[in-house]
Amino acid sequence: MDQSITFTEKDQLKAKPESVQLGFGKYFTDYMFEMDYSLEKGWHDPRIAPYAPVALDPAAMIFHYGQEVFEGLKAYRAKDGRILLFRPEKNMKRMNQSCARLNIPKIDGKFVIKAIKKLVAIEKDWVPTEPGQSLYIRPFIIGTEPFLGVHPSGSYKLLVICSPVGSYFGRNTKPVKIYVEDEFVRAVKGGVGFAKTSGNYAASLRAQTKAEELGFDQVLWLDGVEHKYIEEVGSMNIFFKVDGEVWTPELDGSILPGITRDSVLELLKKWGVPVKEKKISVKKLFKKAEKQKLEEVFGTGTAAVISPVGFLKWEDRVVKVANGETGKLSKKLYETLTGIQNGTIKDDMGWTQEVVAASTSDAAAEPAGTPDVVSEAAVTE
Ligand SMILES: *Cc1c(COP(=O)(O)O)cnc(C)c1O
């Protein structure tokens, strides 16, 4: 791919929200990245333009058959002013795996990372500065062909939008209460469970509402065939510390291969904590819990990083974990991961990539005063 990313500047930038108001995914930055795909041209016309509504034909296939994939990653601001991305090549690899499953043409991951870096550099003032805050980056691809026949769309749009987000953790975050969902399932092997695609979320909403109606924060999903084995929690991967050992469900096709999950596994191995990726039956887990062997439970995902679980319910059995508090290992993982992400801990895993250099020099941004029509940072692939 040999294309320049054009940049259309807007006259008036938006007012930025107060840092206490951030929450998750409520505010969007001034610009977005956009690129189109057609059968004739492939991916083309990469551009950064003012954030704006997308006009689509009402027959566009995304509205009818849900052909979509997405990703989620964050840009973090270090104390010295650097802006860092965390393992973005993993997001691109997974996006292509999702594309392959959803019959969407592949993207050039390296090119999209360049585009993301350019976008983040332009939006650098939107990267929040308070601890735990970050700029959430949401790349996604939709099928845009106006056609009601069921077939793969002939045209697509890739967009990247950015949202400054607050911290999930820290500010009076209580470990979450979850219950084992044994009616609805999220995914089955052979389906799209391993892909980051909107349909998985649509399919999960009813169970999430039910969980909230019952006074819980999230659901613990079981496998779709036997309803016996634990898969994920809400839209996070799940870990259990049992009798000194850490367990997480093995990736078997219906589980989303989380990048936070992978990072937690790598850290635990580095620390010499015994870890097992395996099938985990809910029955066995509750037995362990009832024998006081279940020491910690936590979910992992880019949004919350580590989300400790304090209560578990399955049928009429209830278990309190780590006394309803955040466990030691959960805390250490959270602090290490966020420390690497925001540059306070030395990144000896090689997980971070600099988007903007320390203090005032902008590694990937346009030099001040450069006309912003066509970037000199054209990417050749
Ligand atoms: C995105 C996602 C995760 C977490 O993946 P990360 O790469 O760690 O953010 C877990 N489960 C589901 C269903 C997801 O969509």
Side-chain angles (χ1 to χ4, degrees), residues 102-352:
L102 273 289
N103 214 318
I104 292 174
K106 290 201 169 177
I107 52 157
D108 176 341
K110 282 189 183 151
F111 180 79
V112 177
I113 290 175
K114 293 244 167 152
I116 288 172
K117 287 183 173 173
K118 191 173 164 65
L119 178 63
V120 171
I122 289 168
E123 301 285 42
K124 63 185 191 319
D125 293 340
W126 281 92
V127 184
T129 50
E130 306 269 318
Q133 301 184 339
S134 54
L135 186 70
Y136 184 80
I137 303 162
R138 167 57 59 86
F140 61 105
I141 302 174
I142 54 175
T144 53
E145 186 190 344
F147 183 62
L148 293 183
V150 178
H151 81 156
S153 179
S155 59
Y156 297 85
K157 196 179 267 305
L158 179 149
L159 291 135
V160 182
I161 57 174
C162 302
S163 171
V165 298
S167 160
Y168 266 63
F169 211 83
R171 290 174 309 146
N172 53 44
T173 319
K174 287 234 174 72
V176 295
K177 291 174 74 170
I178 62 179
Y179 91 102
V180 179
E181 172 55 60
D182 46 18
E183 178 191 359
F184 302 119
V185 298
R186 178 187 163 272
V188 290
K189 259 193 242 347
V192 294
F194 69 89
K196 237 174 153 60
T197 182
S198 49
N200 285 332
Y201 283 75
S204 76
L205 297 174
R206 181 67 199 105
Q208 179 62 33
T209 306
K210 184 177 146 192
E212 287 165 19
E213 283 165 3
L214 295 171
F216 291 83
D217 300 297
Q218 308 242 291
V219 302
L220 190 65
W221 296 106
L222 297 183
D223 78 274
V225 178
E226 297 178 81
H227 295 206
K228 269 189 192 165
Y229 299 100
I230 294 168
E231 301 223 316
E232 299 202 49
V233 56
S235 51
M236 289 182 286
N237 296 115
I238 181 108
F239 285 77
F240 303 94
K241 181 163 176 261
V242 184
D243 214 2
E245 208 171 72
V246 177
W247 301 350
T248 192
E250 64 189 2
L251 300 178
D252 63 350
S254 52
I255 292 173
L256 199 292
I259 295 160
T260 321
R261 175 187 182 277
D262 183 78
S263 307
V264 163
L265 287 173
E266 287 208 30
L267 283 176
L268 293 174
K269 283 176 194 161
K270 188 179 150 213
W271 295 341
V273 178
V275 289
K276 282 198 181 131
E277 294 176 73
K278 60 174 197 172
K279 264 177 139 60
I280 302 168
S281 91
V282 65
K283 195 167 161 189
K284 186 166 172 195
L285 188 84
F286 270 74
K287 270 204 187 125
K288 292 281 187 189
E290 282 152 9
K291 288 189 196 150
Q292 312 302 320
K293 303 277 190 201
L294 182 60
E295 297 160 12
E296 294 185 37
V297 181
F298 55 91
T300 65
T302 296
V305 189
I306 301 288
S307 175
V309 174
F311 294 88
L312 273 171
K313 183 175 185 291
W314 176 43
E315 295 170 347
D316 53 2
R317 295 152 86 170
V318 184
V319 164
K320 198 170 179 183
V321 187
N323 219 10
E325 305 284 326
T326 299
K328 255 195 200 152
L329 186 66
S330 310
K331 191 150 187 269
K332 183 175 174 190
L333 283 164
Y334 177 80
E335 281 168 1
T336 306
L337 278 171
T338 54
I340 291 172
Q341 287 163 344
N342 62 33
T344 53
I345 292 178
K346 190 170 168 287
D347 176 18
D348 51 14
M349 308 298 278
W351 283 343
T352 53

